[in-house]
Amino acid sequence: METIKIIEQFKRVLGDGAVSHSRKRTKHYRTGWRSGKGEALAVLFPQTLMEYWEVLKVCVAENCIIIMQAANTGLTEGSTPSGDDYDRPVVIINTLAMNEIVLLNEGKQALSFPGATLHKLEKMLGPMGRAPHSVIGSSCLGASIIGGVANNSGGALVKRGPAYTELSLFAKVNSEGNLTLVNHLGIDLGSSPEDIIQNLSSGRFSKDGLQWDKKASASDYEKRVRDTSADTPSRFNADTTRLYEASGCAGKIAVFAVIVDTFEVPDEEQTFYVGTNDPNVLTRIRRDFLEQFSQLPEVGEYLHRDMFNIAEKYGKDTCLSIHHLGTDALPKLFAMKGRIDAVLNKSPLFPSHLTDKVMQFVGGLFPAFLPRSLTNFRDKYEHHLIIKMSNQGVQEAKDYLSRLFDEEGNGEFIICNKEEAARAFLLRFAAAGAAVRYQTLHAQDVGEVLALDIALRRNDEDWLETLPAHISEHIDKSLYYGHFFCHVFHQDYVLKKDADAKQIKADMLALLDTRGAKYPAEHNVGHLYTAEDGLQKFYRELDPTNTFNPGIGGMDKYVRNCACCV
């Protein structure tokens, strides 16, 4: 009876069509993109900021757990329930419908509502010659701007660092258990929650001539990443200097809006493709570019040959989809795939993972996607680095790379034409899902995928991993790729059949600890990592009663009732 009462209250606020509560209809939203799932009383779809506020009030009054969710593209189970051992009813609030973006100060900043995506912002800024914090990778999958800020997402752009802002509007539950609305946007929107929300929603505020004494991006990151002598990583999720209200909150508050900086698009860009069999060559390139160049790279993406091969074969359909249909179509295709999978998985008549098998088959019917210049490099070289330079950095890179390989050999580079550059970056994008596709199609022969997201120390020149035998003997494939100049690496391990994934992960993390690495680097702890002490303290300060997203970072799921628990 109590649950029926709560659901009826939600329906009075949102209407029947914006409240899902059957297990069948909520399954998609209760299941993580790669892994993780749990039960939920309901999934709510507020269409306006005022509806959002009203359903939050119901959740708090009825002592419900609140899990915030946008596109659900996270990789660490941070935007879905985890298991069924919560002590209160779980409610998921999906924010995608509230997707407005307001450009401020002639496009130099953007005010984002909860569901607005990086891809939408990128399209709005294009005619103005500006770009958002991240324009590669997750933006194509519909990742939200606020989701990036909440997770300190790093992106592939070397100069910009993690998504960060100190300007936000958010709701939290204080230590007395009361829901409060905090306006730290730096814009006068009124005093009461209702006035603030109405004025924001209707756009009744100045859009230009705004000034703040707080940051709307990690503006100090360029200086930080250039310090190659530092004994700490350049960016990682538990960095307490990057935890500020909405930034790094991981859903421990309900964010209504943020203001973020946008960035000027360079006048000239050029992509270089580097291949070598000596990892020390890439070490030198990283050090020299960061220490000596007047212009940092825009992008610097690493691919190991094994990852190249897997991405070429098992990410080909993704590359073809983006190339022929554009990035606008990709979120719709993923959503369609999810709906088809949900139907097919209910019937024993269809084999498991049928859509993946069909997509893999169809992709194989097309001619080779990559130009021969890149596959030649794959055949010759183990280590690959894709570097995009801009403006005066273009000539700096040409001169440096020519001199380096003329004098020392140990590799070569291509000055990419537009097709080579576009397809190289598509290959790098496809790498993120290729390991999962490989595991899916070989599930009878291999075990789980263990995906690690790590940040090495800035002064660590021994970046190429060597695994001890007691770990390597359990691995079918080790796949390495990442943001090389930031020293942030994605390491996907396809385990052998019947390998103990939990024990192997523990051994891996222990090995990383000895190297001074931090993890996760940019995907946040979710339910897959244990939060460090400083991060746990931040979460408790944001959410003293443990109302929002309890259990992340290996923390407790039960309610906290007083301020002394902070």
Side-chain angles (χ1 to χ4, degrees):
M1 292 300 296
E2 283 298 314
T3 59
I4 294 174
K5 171 190 165 188
I6 296 170
I7 289 171
E8 289 303 316
Q9 290 185 76
F10 291 145
K11 288 182 177 180
R12 280 196 290 272
V13 174
L14 301 178
D16 289 359
V19 179
S20 293
H21 54 90
S22 72
R23 296 189 78 251
K24 178 180 177 181
R25 292 184 62 191
T26 61
K27 181 179 179 181
H28 172 73
Y29 304 95
R30 295 185 290 104
T31 305
W33 191 61
R34 272 190 178 173
S35 63
K37 61 183 178 179
E39 296 299 320
L41 170 64
V43 180
L44 310 180
F45 302 89
Q47 304 297 297
T48 67
L49 296 182
M50 192 61 75
E51 288 182 351
Y52 186 19
W53 173 249
E54 292 298 325
V55 295
L56 285 171
K57 290 199 297 187
V58 173
C59 288
V60 174
E62 297 296 338
N63 194 29
C64 294
I65 284 170
I66 303 166
I67 296 179
M68 306 306 310
Q69 183 184 95
N72 193 18
T73 57
L75 302 180
T76 58
E77 306 178 9
S79 56
T80 56
S82 180
D84 308 321
D85 55 342
Y86 295 94
D87 61 346
R88 292 150 286 165
V90 175
V91 175
I92 300 170
I93 301 181
N94 185 285
T95 63
L96 280 181
M98 300 172 287
N99 64 354
E100 188 172 345
I101 296 174
V102 181
L103 298 182
L104 307 175
N105 292 334
E106 299 178 330
K108 292 179 181 177
Q109 284 84 30
L111 187 154
S112 169
F113 284 22
T117 64
L118 284 163
H119 186 56
K120 180 178 180 178
L121 179 57
E122 184 181 352
K123 292 180 68 176
M124 290 178 66
L125 292 172
M128 308 175 74
R130 301 191 70 83
H133 167 266
S134 179
V135 295
I136 187 173
S138 60
S139 60
C140 298
L141 292 174
S144 68
I145 296 166
I146 285 179
V149 169
N151 291 313
N152 285 136
S153 298
L157 299 173
V158 177
K159 300 176 182 179
R160 300 179 192 174
Y164 180 78
T165 186
E166 297 169 359
L167 302 168
S168 62
L169 172 68
F170 59 91
K172 65 177 294 184
V173 177
N174 63 23
S175 56
E176 285 74 40
N178 299 319
L179 183 69
T180 62
L181 189 68
V182 181
N183 179 15
H184 286 170
L185 284 173
I187 299 174
D188 184 7
L189 294 169
S191 54
S192 72
E194 289 73 21
D195 286 344
I196 292 170
I197 292 170
Q198 287 173 355
N199 288 330
L200 178 63
S201 300
S202 61
R204 291 197 292 266
F205 56 91
S206 176
K207 313 298 190 301
D208 295 301
L210 299 169
Q211 294 183 351
W212 298 278
D213 58 0
K214 294 182 177 180
K215 292 182 177 183
S217 64
S219 54
D220 61 337
Y221 186 72
E222 182 169 338
K223 179 180 178 182
R224 183 181 178 97
V225 76
R226 281 185 181 273
D227 185 2
T228 60
S229 64
D231 197 35
T232 57
S234 58
R235 55 182 171 90
F236 57 100
N237 285 130
D239 182 357
T240 55
T241 67
R242 303 294 185 197
L243 303 177
Y244 190 95
E245 297 179 341
S247 296
C249 71
K252 296 300 285 183
I253 52 178
V255 183
F256 279 63
V258 297
I259 294 173
V260 293
D261 286 335
T262 69
F263 302 87
E264 190 173 0
V265 174
D267 296 325
E268 179 187 4
E269 291 184 328
Q270 177 63 58
T271 297
F272 302 86
Y273 197 98
V274 176
T276 182
N277 288 315
D278 183 357
N280 292 320
V281 170
L282 299 191
T283 300
R284 177 176 174 182
I285 289 174
R286 174 181 177 270
R287 184 180 62 246
D288 290 348
F289 272 55
L290 295 180
E291 292 179 357
Q292 301 174 16
F293 277 39
S294 65
Q295 291 284 311
L296 286 180
E298 297 292 326
V299 180
E301 293 296 291
Y302 170 76
L303 278 173
H304 187 275
R305 178 161 54 198
D306 291 343
M307 185 73 258
F308 185 116
N309 289 332
I310 291 291
E312 180 188 22
K313 181 174 182 179
Y314 295 95
K316 185 178 178 182
D317 58 296
T318 299
C319 293
L320 289 168
S321 298
I322 298 172
H323 179 70
H324 291 291
L325 302 177
T327 54
D328 284 347
L330 204 58
K332 298 174 185 176
L333 290 175
F334 271 88
M336 183 186 302
K337 178 181 181 300
R339 288 193 293 270
I340 294 173
D341 285 340
V343 173
L344 297 182
N345 289 343
K346 294 171 187 172
S347 172
L349 299 177
F350 297 99
S352 59
H353 309 297
L354 181 59
T355 57
D356 287 283
K357 293 173 182 176
V358 170
M359 292 164 67
Q360 185 68 25
F361 174 76
V362 172
L365 298 177
F366 285 77
F369 177 77
L370 295 176
R372 189 61 191 160
S373 56
L374 299 186
T375 56
N376 283 341
F377 262 48
R378 181 267 316 280
D379 296 340
K380 292 172 67 174
Y381 299 115
E382 182 179 1
H383 305 288
H384 301 247
L385 184 61
I386 311 167
I387 307 172
K388 181 187 288 186
M389 302 298 296
S390 63
N391 299 337
Q392 60 262 44
V394 173
Q395 191 61 49
E396 282 186 291
K398 286 181 182 177
D399 293 343
Y400 173 88
L401 293 172
S402 297
R403 185 171 61 253
L404 174 69
F405 290 116
D406 285 346
E407 293 175 357
E408 298 190 13
N410 292 330
E412 59 183 309
F413 73 100
I414 301 170
I415 301 175
C416 296
N417 59 35
K418 288 186 177 180
E419 180 185 8
E420 288 169 331
R423 299 199 178 206
F425 282 117
L426 280 177
L427 179 74
R428 165 61 185 89
F429 171 73
V436 175
R437 171 65 66 78
Y438 171 83
Q439 188 275 340
T440 297
L441 298 184
H442 296 83
Q444 292 184 340
D445 304 311
V446 301
E448 300 177 33
V449 174
L450 174 59
L452 298 183
D453 163 35
I454 70 166
L456 298 181
R457 296 170 297 174
R458 283 169 280 175
N459 65 355
D460 190 350
E461 296 193 349
D462 188 21
W463 55 270
L464 185 62
E465 179 178 71
T466 301
L467 292 174
H470 75 277
I471 296 178
S472 63
E473 66 184 2
H474 299 290
I475 296 176
D476 176 73
K477 290 191 181 299
S478 297
L479 305 171
Y480 301 108
Y481 57 108
H483 316 306
F484 190 70
F485 291 96
C486 298
H487 253 195
V488 168
F489 291 90
H490 303 295
Q491 301 181 175
D492 292 348
Y493 306 93
V494 183
L495 304 182
K496 292 182 178 178
K497 197 72 172 175
D498 301 322
D500 186 343
K502 185 175 181 180
Q503 182 59 54
I504 294 169
K505 180 179 179 180
D507 292 343
M508 288 275 195
L509 298 184
L511 181 63
L512 291 171
D513 289 339
T514 66
R515 300 174 63 192
K518 292 289 187 180
Y519 49 84
E522 59 180 7
H523 290 156
N524 223 312
V525 290
H527 289 280
L528 297 184
Y529 295 90
T530 299
E532 294 186 10
D533 291 345
L535 188 56
Q536 291 197 26
K537 181 175 183 290
F538 175 66
Y539 290 160
R540 291 191 181 101
E541 289 171 346
L542 285 180
D543 183 24
T545 62
N546 210 20
T547 297
F548 290 91
N549 214 4
I552 59 166
M555 297 171 68
D556 294 325
K557 290 184 175 180
Y558 57 76
V559 67
R560 291 191 297 268
N561 295 303
C562 61
C564 65
C565 297
V566 176

